[in-house]
């Protein structure tokens, strides 16, 4: 089991550019979660899917951020017109749902210059 | 809403010291409780969990006991090592949602 896979591991973008982050959950897991981690804010929930359907996006900034899960093997987080304050580590996690344990990927470190 | 409170932001110990990191929670239901550990450059790793009152979870010498009355799940280790230096997160998952609520994390630094 390769665990949760996230690509790229590091991404540098210029202000105003678009960034797309990829996540491949653990095979068989039905729930996929996205988090953002910074020194100041810590670990922040963004959004999650269950069986590919969006369930809760209460943590997503309403503008510029979107997430999709087109099939059971991957999810994407897209940030349009990136800003320096979007610089963070973006973490993806998956679980079997309910109160099952979430397993995290290594994260994508995004730096917006 | 549900919440998790970790009172120590940072803990500095020497090798072989006893560790306690305090975790208290607030939840409307009967949550499952978790400890995660995060090393630099990696995502949080599941350490262990407990799902019912008085259940003890443990892994790698770390342990915590679910205390419903005190709404606590304190992490302890009898003798820490330098390799235990990391950030530790307490978390809960309510029965009514797939979501996990994380505490703010405690950075443990162990000196040789």
């Amino acid at each position: 089991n390769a665990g949760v896979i996230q690509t790229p591991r590091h991404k540098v973008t210029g202000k105003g550019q678009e960034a797309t982050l990829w996540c491949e959950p653990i095979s068989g897991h039905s729930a996929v979660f996205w988090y953002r981690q910074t020194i100041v804010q810590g670990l922040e929930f963004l959004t999650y899917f269950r069986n590919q359907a969006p369930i809760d996006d209460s943590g997503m900034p309403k503008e510029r951020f979107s997430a999709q899960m087109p099939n059971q093997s991957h999810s994407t987080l897209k940030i349009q017109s990136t800003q320096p304050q979007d610089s963070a580590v973006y973490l993806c996690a998956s679980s079997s749902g309910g109160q099952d344990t979430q397993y995290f990927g290594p994260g994508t470190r995004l730096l917006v210059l | 809403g549900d919440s998790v409170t970790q009172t120590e932001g940072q803990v500095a110990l020497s090798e072989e010291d006893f560790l306690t990191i305090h975790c208290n929670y607030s939840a409307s239901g009967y949550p499952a409780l978790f400890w995660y550990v995060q090393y630099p450059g990696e995502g949080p790793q599941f350490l262990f969990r407990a799902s019912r009152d008085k259940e003890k979870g443990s892994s790698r010498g770390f342990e915590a006991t679910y205390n419903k009355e005190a709404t606590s799940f304190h992490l302890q280790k009898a003798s820490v090592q330098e390799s235990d230096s990391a950030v530790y997160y307490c978390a809960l998952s309510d029965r009514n949602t797939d979501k996990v609520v994380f505490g703010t994390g405690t950075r443990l630094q162990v000196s040789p």
Side-chain angles (χ1 to χ4, degrees), chain A residues 15-33:
Chain A
K15 182 178 174 180
Q17 293 184 330
E18 182 177 287
T20 300
L21 313 180
W22 291 69
C23 171
E24 180 179 331
I26 292 171
S27 177
H29 279 185
S30 58
V32 173
F33 305 81

Side-chain angles (χ1 to χ4, degrees), chain A residues 31-35 45-50 52-62 67 77, chain B residues 96-101:
Chain A
V32 173
F33 305 81
W34 285 97
Y35 297 86
F45 167 80
L46 294 176
T47 186
Y48 90 96
F49 299 83
R50 190 194 311 124
Q52 299 171 231
I55 302 298
D56 184 337
D57 66 354
S58 59
M60 290 277 273
K62 294 310 175 190
L77 179 68
Chain B
N96 298 320
T97 175
D98 302 312
K99 286 171 66 174
V100 173
V101 176

Side-chain angles (χ1 to χ4, degrees), chain A residues 70-99:
Chain A
N71 58 59
Q72 64 184 10
S73 64
H74 88 273
S75 175
T76 58
L77 179 68
K78 183 179 293 186
I79 309 172
Q80 295 178 311
S81 186
T82 55
Q83 302 297 310
Q85 61 264 32
D86 298 331
S87 297
V89 176
Y90 290 83
L91 292 159
C92 177
S94 70
S95 79
S96 297
Q99 291 185 312

Side-chain angles (χ1 to χ4, degrees), chain A residues 37 50 56 98-99 102, chain B residues 36 38 49 89 93 98-99:
Chain A
Q37 187 173 42
R50 190 194 311 124
D56 184 337
Q99 291 185 312
Q102 288 189 14
Chain B
Y36 283 80
Q38 186 174 24
R49 63 179 284 165
Y89 290 95
S93 178
D98 302 312
K99 286 171 66 174

Side-chain angles (χ1 to χ4, degrees), chain B residues 13-89:
Chain B
L13 297 173
S14 299
E15 281 193 325
E16 300 183 12
D17 280 352
F18 187 91
L19 168 71
T20 298
I21 297 177
H22 294 94
C23 172
N24 288 88
Y25 70 90
S26 173
S28 55
Y30 202 144
L33 302 176
F34 303 82
W35 277 102
Y36 283 80
V37 58
Q38 186 174 24
Y39 300 100
E42 300 180 9
Q45 296 177 18
F46 169 70
L47 196 53
F48 58 82
R49 63 179 284 165
S51 301
R52 57 186 181 278
D53 191 23
K54 299 181 178 55
E55 180 181 355
K56 178 187 285 188
S58 64
S59 176
R60 309 184 214 171
F62 293 92
E63 62 180 37
T65 300
Y66 195 134
N67 187 327
K68 191 171 188 296
E69 182 177 14
T71 62
S72 69
F73 193 54
H74 305 319
L75 180 69
Q76 294 186 321
K77 187 175 185 182
S79 176
V80 294
Q81 302 301 310
E82 189 177 5
S83 58
D84 294 327
S85 298
V87 179
Y88 292 81
Y89 290 95

